[in-house]
């Protein structure tokens, strides 16, 4: 169980680091040029591809059962949401405004990507022992 929790934290941290950089590019340059939903639609597949790659690397080193991969994805989702909430708070966004952002078209698309990120470990074929 501890291994799945640890991998969930590492999976989330690795993806969040790159997603932070891509989110900055999306927010500052891409969204103003093409609109928010189009920018998120470009960003989400890139982050999911990275998530798949990073999840495979982690699970190649430490294979988990299906239940373990579910714990890994669930843990990663919780860490990701906490990190995003903390970042929003650090940038002065009120908790209500942060939650309301999920009920916009780009927010729902982003949340769908975050849920897919959490589910990806379930679909990564474990290494043969």
């Amino acid at each position: 169980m501890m291994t799945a929790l640890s991998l969930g934290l590492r999976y989330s941290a690795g993806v969040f680091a790159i997603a932070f950089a891509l989110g900055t590019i999306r927010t500052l340059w891409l969204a103003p040029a093409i609109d928010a939903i189009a920018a998120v639609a470009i960003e989400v597949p890139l982050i999911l591809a990275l998530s798949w790659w990073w999840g495979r690397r982690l699970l190649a080193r430490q294979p988990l059962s299906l239940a373990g991969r579910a714990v890994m994805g669930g843990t990663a989702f919780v860490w990701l949401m906490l990190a995003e909430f903390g970042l929003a708070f650090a940038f002065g966004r009120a908790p209500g405004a942060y939650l309301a952002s999920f009920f916009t078209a780009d927010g729902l698309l982003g949340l769908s990507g975050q849920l897919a990120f959490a589910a990806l470990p379930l679909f990564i074929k474990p290494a043969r022992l």
Side-chain angles (χ1 to χ4, degrees):
M1 180 63 96
M2 286 304 292
T3 301
L5 294 172
S6 172
L7 285 178
L9 176 59
R10 291 174 60 202
Y11 176 56
S12 180
V15 172
F16 182 78
I18 296 299
F20 180 81
L22 289 175
T24 301
I25 292 167
R26 173 184 45 85
T27 302
L28 297 179
W29 296 293
L30 194 57
I34 63 173
D35 85 33
I37 193 161
V40 173
I42 291 169
E43 180 187 28
V44 166
L46 294 173
I47 292 173
L48 290 177
L50 170 75
S51 299
W52 181 265
W53 174 82
W54 183 234
R56 282 182 54 97
R57 280 186 60 99
L58 292 172
L59 289 167
R61 294 182 194 151
Q62 185 67 52
L64 296 174
S65 66
L66 181 62
R69 294 191 319 269
V71 170
M72 175 185 169
T75 301
F77 182 76
V78 169
W79 281 114
L80 176 68
M81 298 312 287
L82 288 172
E84 287 201 356
F85 180 77
L87 193 60
F89 185 73
F91 281 104
R93 194 170 209 183
Y98 171 72
L99 293 174
S101 72
F102 289 113
F103 296 99
T104 63
D106 55 311
L108 285 171
L109 183 57
L111 180 60
S112 297
Q114 292 162 331
L115 291 169
F117 152 82
L120 278 178
L122 295 171
F123 300 99
I124 295 173
K125 186 176 179 181
R128 296 204 185 261
L129 301 176

